[in-house]
Amino acid sequence: MKNCLVAQSGGPTSVINASAVGLYLANKENGHFDKVLAGLNGIEGVLREDFFDMSELSDEEVELLRTTPSAGLGSCRYKLKDSTVNKEEYEKLFDIFSRHSIDSFFYIGGNDSQDTVKKLSAYAKENGFDVRINGIPKTVDNDLMVIDHTPGFGSAAKYIATIVLESYLDSLVYTNNGIFIVETMGRDAGWLAASACLARYNGRQCADFILLPEVPFDEAAFAAKVKETFDKKNHVYIVASEGVKYPNGEFLAATKAQSHDSFGHAQLGGAGNAIKAIIEANGITKRIKVLELSVLQRCAFHAVSEIDLEESGKLGKTALELAAAGETGKVAILVRESDDPYKVTFTSTDASNIANKVKYFPAEWVTPDGFNIREEALSYFVPLAGKLPEYRVIHKYHNM
């Protein structure tokens, strides 16, 4: 008997389950493995031998899993130590693989999870274990190197752009409007905040400011420009990443980061309120609303991007094909060939090219003042999010 094992790690996305299902359906079609086992709650569940045979699911349940947000297999935030530090854990894992006839292990996750793929595949090779270890990418943050974009990002971008558009219109309904601030996820990279550039009304971008972690935050310049914009329009719309930093590297939300996740990352949240405090301290206005999108960005399947859902499944299939070809230590990826018509190629890269690395938002797509996104970025975002809703109001304030 020859089985494979798939597990999920890190933060969920709207389409993470489509990758597991894509892998399962591809195997059902070609029969490369006798069973596809799901490791529940990531590497922690694997260490507990907490497995589920996916063949026990009916066709209807498989389809339902494919279109369910959150990590349907359960997730974890478990940082696998180096084998020189905790060899016993590696020995236990490969003993489990042997006893359950696991020929291949697939790990769905971001750069920390692909570090696990890198470590396990290297350990297998060094110690003569005939087990293939490969990765399937996911993260709403879109910060994985090499891959054009990550599964989960397109749906998050569509959700953010839709919320920005709708809340922008909501923020303009009065004759005396104030300042509206939306805070997105994005600790190190600003892709999510930048996707707000998709939100447009009458052909114009809704956000007056889009603030990214990659651009050092100049508080004085920001306050001056917000005042200028508010004096002109009696309204300002701001989108800010949770990871916006001062030039010294300190997070605006640092005072709110009272805890860390088990990967050691500061759990941020509060950049929006920090910006509100700056605006108030500069006497611009007291009429300020802050909306923190939080986990809604990664679980809003009602706003799923169809291309995101489709590509997530195809990456699961690609990973299965890698293992069937004897590959190990790889991550299934996609490479963009063109924007219009949109076209990608599915291929792979070494896990070492992704593990513990961050892909930052391109500096050339940021306006010279650092407070917004250039029009050139739209061709990257548009195919990923798909069509956004269109609206019409008749009051005059949207013309400001």
Side-chain angles (χ1 to χ4, degrees):
M1 177 173 284
K2 183 171 69 171
N3 302 325
C4 72
L5 175 66
V6 59
Q8 298 169 335
S9 176
T13 77
S14 293
V15 299
I16 186 173
N17 299 319
S19 291
V21 169
L23 186 153
Y24 171 74
L25 292 177
N27 187 70
K28 189 175 181 180
E29 181 180 342
N30 65 34
H32 186 74
F33 298 107
D34 295 297
K35 291 182 180 179
V36 176
L37 302 176
L40 307 185
N41 297 106
I43 204 74
E44 289 182 330
V46 176
L47 287 164
R48 294 193 306 267
E49 300 181 60
D50 193 0
F51 300 146
F52 177 83
D53 183 351
M54 291 186 68
S55 67
E56 295 181 19
L57 297 172
S58 66
D59 290 346
E60 293 76 14
E61 288 175 314
V62 169
E63 175 58 19
L64 197 58
L65 175 63
R66 188 181 77 91
T67 56
T68 295
S70 82
L73 311 184
S75 190
C76 70
R77 291 194 178 275
Y78 188 86
K79 185 78 170 179
L80 192 68
K81 295 182 176 65
D82 192 83
S83 60
T84 58
V85 176
N86 193 353
K87 186 177 180 180
E88 294 78 12
E89 201 164 52
Y90 287 75
E91 291 174 341
K92 181 177 181 179
L93 281 168
F94 281 90
D95 176 63
I96 290 169
F97 292 160
S98 176
R99 287 189 287 104
H100 290 272
S101 303
I102 293 169
D103 173 89
S104 293
F105 174 48
F106 303 96
Y107 213 22
I108 306 174
N111 42 26
D112 285 309
S113 304
Q114 303 316 323
D115 180 61
T116 297
V117 170
K118 182 183 78 169
K119 288 174 177 174
L120 288 178
S121 59
Y123 183 83
K125 188 176 294 185
E126 291 165 4
N127 292 274
F129 290 107
D130 188 25
V131 181
R132 275 135 293 286
I133 316 287
N134 291 296
I136 302 172
K138 71 87 207 161
T139 176
V140 295
D141 292 323
N142 197 39
D143 61 353
L144 302 191
M145 295 293 289
V146 186
I147 188 170
D148 179 76
H149 57 276
T150 54
F153 173 69
S155 297
K158 181 178 180 180
Y159 175 78
I160 290 167
T162 302
I163 292 298
V164 167
L165 171 59
E166 293 172 347
S167 59
Y168 166 79
L169 294 175
D170 183 89
S171 70
L172 283 169
V173 300
Y174 302 109
T175 56
N176 183 23
N177 294 301
I179 294 178
F180 199 94
I181 304 167
V182 170
E183 180 182 331
T184 71
M185 289 178 170
R187 180 182 57 248
D188 299 311
W191 295 95
L192 287 170
S195 70
C197 71
L198 288 166
R200 292 173 176 254
Y201 185 78
N202 276 357
R204 293 195 302 273
Q205 183 176 295
C206 297
D208 298 297
F209 295 81
I210 299 178
L211 308 178
L212 312 180
E214 292 89 343
V215 182
F217 182 69
D218 184 333
E219 184 173 322
F222 171 74
K225 187 153 188 176
V226 170
K227 185 179 188 310
E228 177 188 342
T229 306
F230 188 72
D231 288 346
K232 179 181 178 182
K233 302 196 321 180
N234 193 35
H235 176 262
V236 182
Y237 197 102
I238 301 167
V239 177
S241 167
E242 65 178 347
V244 174
K245 303 177 187 72
Y246 286 107
N248 65 1
E250 181 183 2
F251 290 108
L252 264 68
T255 57
K256 302 291 184 180
Q258 301 298 323
S259 60
H260 295 73
D261 66 22
S262 54
F263 285 137
H265 306 311
Q267 292 183 313
L268 302 180
N273 282 315
I275 291 167
K276 176 183 178 180
I278 291 167
I279 293 169
E280 289 179 336
N282 281 271
I284 299 170
T285 182
K286 294 284 188 182
R287 291 178 58 81
I288 308 169
K289 289 186 173 67
V290 178
L291 175 63
E292 184 180 335
L293 297 182
S294 189
V295 298
L296 294 173
Q297 298 158 88
R298 70 188 196 193
C299 66
F301 193 85
H302 65 277
V304 73
S305 157
E306 290 299 326
I307 193 68
D308 191 23
L309 182 64
E310 177 186 336
E311 289 176 345
S312 183
K314 287 183 176 179
L315 284 164
K317 179 182 179 182
T318 300
L320 183 91
E321 293 169 346
L322 289 171
E327 297 281 6
T328 189
K330 302 288 185 180
V331 180
I333 65 168
L334 49 80
V335 176
R336 188 181 305 210
E337 294 187 7
S338 61
D339 295 324
D340 186 16
Y342 175 69
K343 185 179 180 182
V344 296
T345 298
F346 292 85
T347 181
S348 67
T349 189
D350 290 340
S352 59
N353 293 330
I354 292 179
N356 303 314
K357 294 180 172 66
V358 176
K359 180 180 72 177
Y360 297 104
F361 190 77
E364 61 269 24
W365 286 353
V366 179
T367 55
D369 63 8
F371 293 139
N372 220 313
I373 307 302
R374 289 179 178 271
E375 291 288 315
E376 297 94 297
L378 278 173
S379 60
Y380 174 83
F381 289 112
V382 167
L384 308 185
K387 185 174 175 57
L388 298 180
E390 295 181 26
Y391 300 114
R392 177 74 172 92
V393 299
I394 59 175
H395 63 69
K396 65 181 180 180
Y397 291 101
H398 68 275
N399 290 321
M400 299 292 283

